[in-house]
Amino acid sequence: MNISYNWLKQFVPINWEASRTAELLTDLGLEVEGIEPFESVKGGLKGVVVGHVLECIQHPNADKLKLATVGIGAAEPLKIVCGAPNIAVGQKVPVATIGTRLYTSEGEAWTIKKGKIRGEESHGMICAEDELGLGESHEGIMVLDDDLAPGTPCSELFNIETDEVFEIGLTPNRADAMSHFGVARDLKAGLLQRKIHAQLHTPSVSNFATENRSLKIDVEVEQNALAPRYCGVTISNLIVQPSPYWLQNRLKAIGLKPINNVVDATNYVLHELGQPLHAFDADRIHGKKIIVRNVPAGTRFMTLDGEERKLHEEDLMICDAEKPMCIAGIFGGINTGVTENTKAIFLESAYFDPVSIRKTAKRHGLNTDASFRFERGVDINNVEYALKRAALLIRDLTGGHISSDIVDLYPKRKDDYQVFLTFEKINNLIGQEIPKDTIKSILASLDIQVKNVTESGLGLIIPFYRIDVQREVDVIEEILRVYGYNNIETKEKLHASVAVTSKFENYRLENIIGDLLVSQGYFETLSNSLTNPEYQELLDPERAGVPVRIMNPLSTELSVMRQSLLSSLLESARHNANRKKQNLKLFEFGASYRQEGASFREQKQLGILVTGNRKEESWVAGQQKSDFFYFKAIVEQVLLRLGISDFQSAPADNPLFSEGLGAMHGKVPLVEFGVLQKNIGKKFDLKSEVLYAEFNWAGLVQQASDSKMIFREVPKYPEVRRDFALLIDQQVTFRQIHDLAFKTERKLLKKVNLFDVYTGKNLPENKKSYAVSFLLQDLKKTLTDAQIDKVMKRLQLQFQTELGAELR
């Protein structure tokens, strides 16, 4: 939010430097993020002086150029090439000397340099008004008064206003500070606390009066809950024209573009008092009646930006007797706005329900100065005052007449908030005793009335515009920010306790697994828990359960809570794939949500998604696709890193996967992973095979904390490897071979590994060949050949008997 220092000083006269005022505002909670200088004429006309045209002849090499000799009060006159048709001897003109920086209408700077134009030297530039930023005309050079002395700086001739603009990072709760008046209130309170005399000056509306009653417009509010207060007045016989320079400069300083005197006046009051207003062309209000109501869903309405919008049945509209004219509190319509032909207006000032405004603004993707304020809550007691202020300003700027009484529909008055503040609570929260008189003076400076005083505390009345101050702790925060956080003493002795935490704390395990995956080339994602309801089609309804729906979604695409991390990771994969990143390794820690009857369930998960090649293209090694077995190894690494080794695997009964496995520890499910169905990847425009794993993070944490780490002495005796080439049926799995081997030999067998699979020619039908290695070791002595052969024969016999395996 931009605040003009000159404008601010109209409310609180102060002669401080801007940096000092900015420091005070920051201490008060209105953080000044920067201070920008402003000049009503960019560059301040530095280097531009009055020149006297002494001679003007035809350029020898150009029909449309003149060669002028111009005196600027220096010893030697300047030779300047000029193309203006109106240049003549004897004129006093503005001359930009060499080195002067001028600015385009877009604000881009360019420097006047010595140069040659069609063979003739030019030592400056005779300027038109648009080149100096003094107007829009470019028909010819600017001709000045004859009595001006050559060499006089042009900055002395024109009323160039300089200002300093505060960029305030306004927090959402400070609706009361969304204007120069609101900031001035805080500034006054801060100055008074620092024993500096300060008085808040407000614009007077005492001379507001109805001049005639020639233009009456009736007002009807059908939705009082959405428009608790609605005021309006008409102004006729006005002339719409550009605003005076003082008003234009005020708006330009805070980044607004002047439009005309009526619209500029409403914008001025908006930023002055924080109350949005809207002016309707009264001649375009059919039936001379304003109706505040909802319209049927699907009604089409064209806003001031020329875009046609389809209205929602909950959108509050300002209508005349026939049609909608304005989206209440957000954006006006193109057919009833003020134009240069407008002769009379209906001026609106209202208080609209913040929730309703926010919903409508989000539905239509609009964010205006008006909606910004209405969403946060304006001062309902300021509505009529702001209307009078704007009406008087428009009357004075346009020469119009106030031609109706004020219509003020305020059926149910809003009460101020009441809070009882205890002195004990103040001292406990702040940690330091503040004198009671200081507390009372701070409250008075904040417009908080002390209703009654007791030994224990104060009964307070909080003004309605302080919507963020409704509890005792809120009042204490107000006292503290005005008193000054820097004035709270820091005790010399601090007491602290050392927190004892388990190594199995959730965040520790997340960091361990995150580091593991990152070391393998994976990237962590962080995504929104809100998702598109269409993605529920990807999940098995029996597994996913009932989705949790948002009551007031920002959009249809974000209307349910995700039931799995799958959709979030697929969206991230699509985002990257659309930017030519095809080889992806992603993971995310997050929660999934579901509704179970009348209750809701939140479950922490770890999701891992892989697609494309294992590594980027390189001359060292060829490309290798990320396949199921590579992914299975990653999943097992996660389990083993958490100390979970005694898990049971089984095929995953999950329609998400074309092939997949699940791992459990007893009855606790740990993970399901596999290759996603092709139609799922296709839905997200992913061309390569997609592998996905979803871990039950709560189950992993539980098993990790239950696991025990066992240390063994490094073996002194060597291990021995023996290999089998086994001819087995197609349905036999390596897991069966692995488990049967350890069941047969528990003492000496240390490891079983599958290092080759063959399913090609020269094998019987429905057969495959597994090459399996066995590592044998005795921790107490060196194995003999006889012992080794005995173990291998027993393994061969078991494989033959139990699995029907043959040695090749």
Side-chain angles (χ1 to χ4, degrees):
M1 182 181 72
N2 293 334
I3 294 293
S4 158
Y5 195 27
N6 288 348
W7 200 343
L8 189 63
K9 288 189 283 190
Q10 289 182 248
F11 288 100
V12 181
I14 184 175
N15 57 4
W16 283 9
E17 291 183 357
S19 57
R20 188 179 175 190
T21 303
E23 184 178 346
L24 175 55
L25 290 174
T26 299
D27 288 344
L28 290 166
L30 301 176
E31 183 181 1
V32 177
E33 298 174 339
I35 304 175
E36 293 293 331
F38 168 77
E39 294 171 319
S40 57
V41 177
K42 198 168 178 63
L45 299 181
K46 296 180 181 68
V48 182
V49 299
V50 175
H52 184 201
V53 181
L54 305 174
E55 183 182 21
C56 184
I57 62 175
Q58 184 66 42
H59 191 294
N61 302 317
D63 294 339
K64 295 185 178 181
L65 297 179
K66 302 287 178 60
L67 187 60
T69 303
V70 183
I72 59 168
E76 295 291 331
L78 302 178
K79 296 289 186 181
I80 300 176
V81 175
C82 179
N86 64 329
I87 187 171
V89 173
Q91 290 176 335
K92 299 292 177 63
V93 293
V95 177
T97 57
I98 292 173
T100 299
R101 290 171 66 86
L102 298 179
Y103 295 83
T104 66
S105 57
E106 288 78 24
E108 296 181 5
W110 56 288
T111 304
I112 302 296
K113 299 178 181 178
K114 175 184 174 181
K116 279 190 175 183
I117 301 177
R118 302 295 290 268
E120 295 292 333
E121 288 189 353
S122 183
H123 297 264
M125 175 178 171
I126 304 174
C127 301
E129 65 177 42
D130 67 326
E131 293 164 333
L132 297 176
L134 295 171
E136 298 181 357
S137 173
H138 194 72
E139 295 178 356
I141 58 171
M142 195 174 183
V143 180
L144 306 176
D145 293 341
D146 290 337
D147 57 353
L148 295 175
T152 302
C154 285
S155 58
E156 298 178 3
L157 307 179
F158 300 96
N159 183 23
I160 300 175
E161 183 177 348
T162 59
D163 197 356
E164 290 170 290
V165 180
F166 300 130
E167 297 178 14
I168 295 180
L170 193 67
T171 53
N173 64 306
R174 291 303 308 276
D176 62 296
M178 295 186 296
S179 65
H180 286 75
F181 178 54
V183 173
R185 279 188 302 221
D186 265 20
L187 180 59
K188 179 204 71 173
L191 291 171
L192 291 175
Q193 173 59 26
R194 286 151 183 79
K195 309 302 181 185
I196 299 171
H197 176 72
Q199 190 173 358
L200 185 63
H201 298 278
T202 55
S204 173
V205 295
S206 59
N207 62 341
F208 179 89
T210 302
E211 297 167 74
N212 62 66
R213 293 178 174 81
S214 60
L215 182 57
K216 181 184 178 183
I217 293 182
D218 296 323
V219 177
E220 178 185 347
V221 177
E222 293 184 1
Q223 298 289 342
N224 287 314
L226 303 183
R229 188 174 189 182
Y230 191 92
C231 294
V233 70
T234 60
I235 305 172
S236 58
N237 300 324
L238 49 78
I239 299 173
V240 178
Q241 58 189 358
S243 298
Y245 285 120
W246 72 264
L247 178 52
Q248 292 191 35
N249 291 339
R250 282 284 181 267
L251 298 179
K252 287 178 181 178
I254 59 174
L256 296 183
K257 182 181 178 181
I259 299 174
N260 58 54
N261 49 4
V262 175
V263 176
D264 292 350
T266 60
N267 284 333
Y268 181 86
V269 174
L270 169 93
H271 290 275
E272 179 186 50
L273 302 177
Q275 173 63 45
L277 304 110
H278 189 73
F280 299 91
D281 189 326
D283 293 331
R284 299 185 180 186
I285 300 175
H286 292 279
K288 293 294 182 269
K289 186 173 184 178
I290 296 286
I291 306 173
V292 184
R293 61 184 178 90
N294 300 121
V295 297
T299 301
R300 298 190 177 275
F301 178 70
M302 186 171 290
T303 47
L304 281 169
D305 57 0
E307 183 174 341
E308 187 176 70
R309 303 176 188 277
K310 188 182 293 186
L311 300 177
H312 189 272
E313 65 267 17
E314 293 182 0
D315 293 341
L316 187 66
M317 303 297 296
I318 311 299
C319 308
D320 60 18
E322 297 181 0
K323 64 184 184 307
M325 300 189 297
C326 174
I327 304 177
I330 300 174
F331 212 13
I334 199 168
N335 295 318
T336 55
V338 174
T339 67
E340 59 184 9
N341 299 318
T342 298
K343 301 301 179 185
I345 63 169
F346 175 81
L347 185 62
E348 166 197 277
S349 179
Y351 177 92
F352 297 114
D353 177 64
V355 175
S356 172
I357 295 298
R358 178 169 177 77
K359 286 182 180 179
T360 298
K362 291 299 179 184
R363 270 195 291 267
H364 296 289
L366 293 170
N367 183 21
T368 62
D369 283 337
S371 67
F372 177 82
R373 285 158 177 81
F374 279 127
E375 286 176 12
R376 287 156 178 80
V378 299
D379 184 4
I380 197 168
N381 297 314
N382 206 33
V383 170
E384 184 183 16
Y385 170 70
L387 180 68
K388 290 181 177 180
R389 167 66 172 154
L392 289 172
L393 190 59
I394 292 172
R395 183 196 67 181
D396 295 341
L397 293 173
T398 64
H401 301 94
I402 297 174
S403 50
S404 75
D405 295 321
I406 288 180
V407 176
D408 185 3
L409 301 182
Y410 190 12
K412 187 177 180 180
R413 296 194 172 272
K414 299 285 186 179
D415 295 327
D416 291 333
Y417 310 112
Q418 296 194 24
V419 173
F420 187 79
L421 177 66
T422 60
F423 296 122
E424 182 183 4
K425 185 77 168 179
I426 297 173
N427 298 334
N428 288 342
L429 277 182
I430 294 178
Q432 178 178 316
E433 186 172 347
I434 298 177
K436 294 179 181 179
D437 289 341
T438 301
I439 292 173
K440 292 177 185 178
S441 66
I442 290 174
L443 293 173
S445 69
L446 293 170
D447 296 337
I448 297 176
Q449 299 178 35
V450 178
K451 184 179 180 182
N452 55 69
V453 181
T454 67
E455 284 295 323
S456 61
L458 305 171
L460 305 176
I461 298 177
I462 314 295
F464 180 80
Y465 67 81
R466 289 311 308 267
I467 58 174
D468 61 322
V469 183
Q470 300 183 21
R471 304 171 300 168
E472 187 178 13
V473 290
D474 299 330
V475 179
I476 295 172
E477 181 183 1
E478 291 297 294
I479 294 170
L480 182 55
R481 71 180 182 86
V482 176
Y483 182 75
Y485 290 96
N486 296 332
N487 294 326
I488 303 300
E489 298 176 359
T490 302
K491 295 182 179 180
E492 296 180 359
K493 187 176 182 181
L494 297 177
H495 300 275
S497 59
V498 178
V500 179
T501 58
S502 167
K503 66 178 181 179
F504 299 107
E505 288 287 338
N506 183 67
Y507 74 93
R508 292 179 185 268
L509 297 181
E510 281 190 21
N511 288 339
I512 288 172
I513 298 304
D515 290 343
L516 170 68
L517 292 172
V518 168
S519 69
Q520 299 279 355
Y522 285 73
F523 289 89
E524 184 173 5
T525 67
L526 183 63
S527 55
N528 198 336
S529 297
L530 301 177
T531 190
N532 194 324
E534 293 182 2
Y535 296 157
Q536 306 311 309
E537 300 173 2
L538 305 177
L539 307 176
D540 181 5
E542 293 185 6
R543 290 170 166 267
V546 179
V548 178
R549 301 192 179 277
I550 305 301
M551 292 180 65
N552 301 309
L554 297 176
S555 65
T556 305
E557 291 75 19
L558 297 172
S559 60
V560 299
M561 305 288 283
R562 65 186 176 194
Q563 295 171 269
S564 166
L565 296 181
L566 176 60
S567 59
S568 299
L569 287 166
L570 285 170
E571 282 187 328
S572 297
R574 176 169 59 188
H575 180 85
N576 283 274
N578 290 340
R579 288 154 181 79
K580 307 301 181 183
K581 297 290 184 181
Q582 303 294 338
N583 305 323
L584 298 170
K585 299 177 180 179
L586 308 174
F587 72 96
E588 180 172 349
F589 293 97
S592 63
Y593 309 85
R594 69 180 67 180
Q595 184 172 351
E596 297 180 346
S599 61
F600 300 93
R601 181 183 175 193
E602 178 179 340
Q603 182 179 6
K604 187 70 176 288
Q605 294 178 337
L606 164 63
I608 304 178
L609 184 142
V610 174
T611 185
N613 297 325
R614 298 188 193 181
K615 297 181 180 179
E616 295 297 330
E617 188 176 13
S618 170
W619 64 273
V620 178
Q623 293 186 4
Q624 196 171 6
K625 292 283 186 183
S626 299
D627 57 18
F628 177 82
F629 294 101
Y630 156 76
F631 195 56
K632 178 174 178 285
I634 295 295
V635 171
E636 289 181 348
Q637 281 186 46
V638 171
L639 296 174
L640 293 173
R641 183 65 184 85
L642 293 173
I644 305 171
S645 57
D646 53 341
F647 54 87
Q648 303 82 41
S649 297
D653 182 20
N654 192 327
L656 285 176
F657 303 121
S658 58
E659 58 176 315
L661 286 176
M664 299 184 69
H665 186 278
K667 294 184 178 181
V668 179
L670 301 177
V671 61
E672 281 191 333
F673 65 95
V675 181
L676 289 178
Q677 299 283 359
K678 289 185 178 180
N679 66 305
I680 296 176
K682 187 176 180 181
K683 184 179 180 67
F684 287 83
D685 304 321
L686 300 175
K687 299 177 182 178
S688 300
E689 186 177 71
V690 182
L691 300 123
Y692 176 67
E694 191 163 273
F695 292 82
N696 171 17
W697 187 251
L700 294 183
V701 173
Q702 177 189 336
Q703 296 306 316
S705 60
D706 291 343
S707 66
K708 295 181 180 179
M709 186 173 292
I710 300 174
F711 295 89
R712 293 190 179 94
E713 184 182 358
V714 177
K716 296 179 181 179
Y717 301 99
E719 60 185 21
V720 178
R721 169 173 167 162
R722 291 289 185 269
D723 297 342
F724 276 166
L726 298 173
L727 183 65
I728 55 178
D729 293 337
Q730 284 284 359
Q731 65 268 24
V732 175
T733 65
F734 172 67
R735 172 60 67 181
Q736 291 174 280
I737 296 172
H738 177 277
D739 293 345
L740 182 57
F742 278 102
K743 181 179 179 182
T744 304
E745 177 55 54
R746 299 177 183 274
K747 182 179 178 183
L748 300 180
L749 185 61
K750 302 302 178 186
K751 186 177 180 181
V752 181
N753 182 51
L754 175 66
F755 64 89
D756 188 41
V757 177
Y758 179 69
T759 57
K761 297 179 180 179
N762 302 322
L763 291 181
E765 189 177 357
N766 295 323
K767 294 286 185 177
K768 61 184 176 182
S769 175
Y770 273 8
V772 184
S773 65
F774 303 87
L775 289 182
L776 305 173
Q777 187 179 46
D778 192 330
L779 299 178
K780 296 181 179 180
K781 60 183 179 180
T782 302
L783 289 171
T784 64
D785 288 340
Q787 287 176 300
I788 296 169
D789 291 342
K790 183 178 179 180
V791 170
M792 297 308 295
K793 285 181 180 179
R794 285 191 9 238
L795 290 174
Q796 178 184 349
L797 180 62
Q798 285 295 101
F799 293 153
Q800 200 169 17
T801 305
E802 299 290 336
L803 304 177
E806 301 177 25
L807 288 183
R808 290 188 66 200

